[in-house]
Amino acid sequence: GAGCVSPPHPPPPRFSELLGKVWQGGPSKSFEMLDSLSNVDFVPVRCLDQLYSQATILQPLMAGKVEELAARHEGLFPWNPRTATRRTSSGDCTEVAFAPWNDWQHDPDVRQMFRRPEMKSISRALEKIERCYDQDASLCTDICRESISFGSLPALIACLHDIREDPQLRVLSVKNRMHLDEDAEGASWGYRDVNLKLCISTPLTAELGLNWHVCELQLLLHDFARLKSEAGHKLYRECRNLRSE
């Protein structure tokens, strides 16, 4: 899910053009890359238990792939060696520090302090299936989810290039909330990221029957990641509930 924040800076003016160059899809704010899948005979998984069984096995494989990308592109992950609390207009919130994965990935003690995303809670999945998906669990494509934060826009774009060229990643869709035309003050409440829906396609995932399980990967700039990790997500949940989403 997205965080409920207002952008600390205006969106980068040329990001949509740069994203279009990466994906050859034009500078649209969102687009799908499903042309190559037209001949695939899909059988949607509509059993939530089965989806969670798949996601439980796939989550560490997804985490490993995301760690590779973060190491190559100066990606940041949240970590919390000490917890600090500060007061905001919406109440107390926990400050979250971010650190570059590449600097600490080989230190087993520090690795344990990195905070990585957990699978979507079952209660939230049921809520979303009821509110948004007309009881169709197969549309819940973010049970297995990850995110990478970046200190600069060039690093984020370089990671997008890498994802596009990675033979183990099959990208199904891209939602570019960094686009100038994105309704950030409406549907996204000011939140900005690049949201990818993708599958991990390796001999192992094919053998396990997981190579068509859709995962979510969020790429975002550090300022948004910090706000999202503090008060932003709490506000987002409140707004989401008011809109029955």
Side-chain angles (χ1 to χ4, degrees), residues 48-107:
L48 194 60
D49 286 344
Q50 184 176 349
L51 287 172
Y52 268 90
S53 295
Q54 291 181 346
T56 299
I57 300 171
L58 195 58
Q59 184 80 14
L61 303 179
M62 177 70 170
K65 175 56 69 174
V66 166
E67 289 169 2
E68 292 176 14
L69 292 168
R72 289 198 292 267
H73 300 291
E74 304 175 359
L76 309 171
F77 291 140
W79 73 322
N80 214 6
R82 287 196 184 123
T83 300
T85 301
R86 66 182 177 87
R87 184 166 294 279
T88 68
S89 58
S90 58
D92 291 345
C93 69
T94 301
E95 288 189 322
V96 179
F98 285 76
W101 174 252
N102 194 41
D103 289 356
W104 302 104
Q105 61 174 318
H106 302 300
D107 187 322

Side-chain angles (χ1 to χ4, degrees), residues 10-169:
R14 295 188 62 251
F15 182 84
S16 59
E17 299 174 21
L18 294 168
L19 184 66
K21 292 178 181 178
V22 174
W23 290 104
Q24 297 181 358
S28 58
K29 62 182 178 181
S30 63
F31 49 89
E32 297 185 352
M33 305 178 64
L34 302 178
D35 292 343
S36 61
L37 309 181
S38 58
N39 295 323
V40 178
D41 186 16
F42 287 102
V43 178
V45 176
R46 293 192 167 89
C47 173
L48 194 60
D49 286 344
Q50 184 176 349
L51 287 172
Y52 268 90
S53 295
Q54 291 181 346
T56 299
I57 300 171
L58 195 58
Q59 184 80 14
L61 303 179
M62 177 70 170
K65 175 56 69 174
V66 166
E67 289 169 2
E68 292 176 14
L69 292 168
R72 289 198 292 267
H73 300 291
E74 304 175 359
L76 309 171
F77 291 140
W79 73 322
N80 214 6
R82 287 196 184 123
T83 300
T85 301
R86 66 182 177 87
R87 184 166 294 279
T88 68
S89 58
S90 58
D92 291 345
C93 69
T94 301
E95 288 189 322
V96 179
F98 285 76
W101 174 252
N102 194 41
D103 289 356
W104 302 104
Q105 61 174 318
H106 302 300
D107 187 322
D109 294 328
V110 177
R111 280 176 64 104
Q112 296 179 11
M113 290 190 280
F114 280 95
R115 296 170 48 182
R116 304 301 300 280
E118 298 178 351
M119 290 193 302
K120 179 182 286 295
S121 70
I122 295 176
S123 60
R124 173 55 183 154
L126 289 169
E127 186 177 71
K128 204 167 183 180
I129 291 166
E130 172 69 25
R131 292 178 176 180
C132 306
Y133 298 149
D134 195 24
Q135 308 292 328
D136 187 352
S138 71
L139 299 178
C140 195
T141 56
D142 59 349
I143 296 174
C144 180
R145 55 191 181 172
E146 277 282 352
S147 66
I148 311 175
S149 306
F150 300 90
S152 70
L153 187 59
L156 189 155
I157 293 172
C159 185
L160 274 171
H161 273 288
D162 203 354
I163 292 170
R164 177 179 175 85
E165 300 301 324
D166 193 323
Q168 295 184 346
L169 295 177

Side-chain angles (χ1 to χ4, degrees), residues 3-5 89-90 189 231-240:
C4 175
V5 299
S89 58
S90 58
W189 296 296
H233 196 69
K234 178 182 177 182
L235 291 173
Y236 165 70
R237 287 198 304 269
E238 294 173 358
C239 294
R240 182 184 71 196

